[in-house]
Amino acid sequence: MKSNIRIHSRRLTVKMTKKLLFGTTLLLVLAFAAVAADVSGKWVYEQAGRGNGTPTIVTLTLKAEGGKLMGNISRPGRDGAAVETPITEGTISGDNFAFKTSQDTGGNNVVTSYLGTVSSDELRLKITRPGRGGDPATTEVVAKRAAS
């Protein structure tokens, strides 16, 4: 009789330990997901000027909802007024995100692709746009979270 109680007690302990480990693992996964850096908000970076000219301040306004990323890019136009370009095809997964912009320049549709990662108050972006001669040109920038 005592051996049956010991076996039953050990089985119960093993079941409870498995449930406890599962619960702890689930809580850790949820905690890491909650701690993942938030891409939503305003971000600012400097874009190099043409021919070593004055750099342009570019503002990204992003909003993540689930796996979708929405927002726009704002930069000064030729007359100094802000030009806003909506982002399209925006996706986000963990700390990685991607989106595109499209601008009409003299009848040509220019599509720019953005790939990035978010970390705390910093975005690391790889920006790929059509270059001269048809070869894509990629630049890398670091955007900082804008003060509210």
Side-chain angles (χ1 to χ4, degrees), residues 52-108:
N52 294 326
T54 305
T56 302
I57 302 297
V58 179
T59 302
L60 301 169
T61 304
L62 303 175
K63 181 176 181 182
E65 286 185 6
K68 293 184 180 182
L69 187 63
M70 299 159 279
N72 65 54
I73 295 179
S74 177
R75 69 187 65 208
R78 293 180 191 245
D79 61 359
V83 175
E84 292 196 5
T85 306
I87 68 170
T88 60
E89 301 178 37
T91 60
I92 184 161
S93 177
D95 292 341
N96 299 307
F97 62 92
F99 61 87
K100 293 182 179 183
T101 61
S102 179
Q103 289 181 300
D104 183 19
T105 57
N108 294 323

Side-chain angles (χ1 to χ4, degrees), residues 45-46 115 124-129 138-143:
Y45 69 89
E46 276 191 2
L115 290 174
R124 294 197 171 274
L125 293 162
K126 285 187 180 180
I127 304 168
T128 304
R129 62 181 60 84
T138 300
T139 56
E140 294 186 26
V141 299
V142 176

Side-chain angles (χ1 to χ4, degrees), residues 1-9:
M1 178 88 173
K2 277 189 169 183
S3 65
N4 282 344
I5 293 173
R6 283 186 185 162
I7 291 172
H8 180 66
S9 176

Side-chain angles (χ1 to χ4, degrees), residues 18-77:
K18 284 182 181 180
K19 286 182 182 181
L20 180 62
L21 284 173
F22 175 75
T24 303
T25 303
L26 184 60
L27 286 173
L28 285 173
V29 167
L30 291 173
F32 281 123
V35 172
D38 185 14
V39 73
S40 295
K42 286 194 180 219
W43 303 85
V44 178
Y45 69 89
E46 276 191 2
Q47 178 178 326
R50 289 185 182 174
N52 294 326
T54 305
T56 302
I57 302 297
V58 179
T59 302
L60 301 169
T61 304
L62 303 175
K63 181 176 181 182
E65 286 185 6
K68 293 184 180 182
L69 187 63
M70 299 159 279
N72 65 54
I73 295 179
S74 177
R75 69 187 65 208

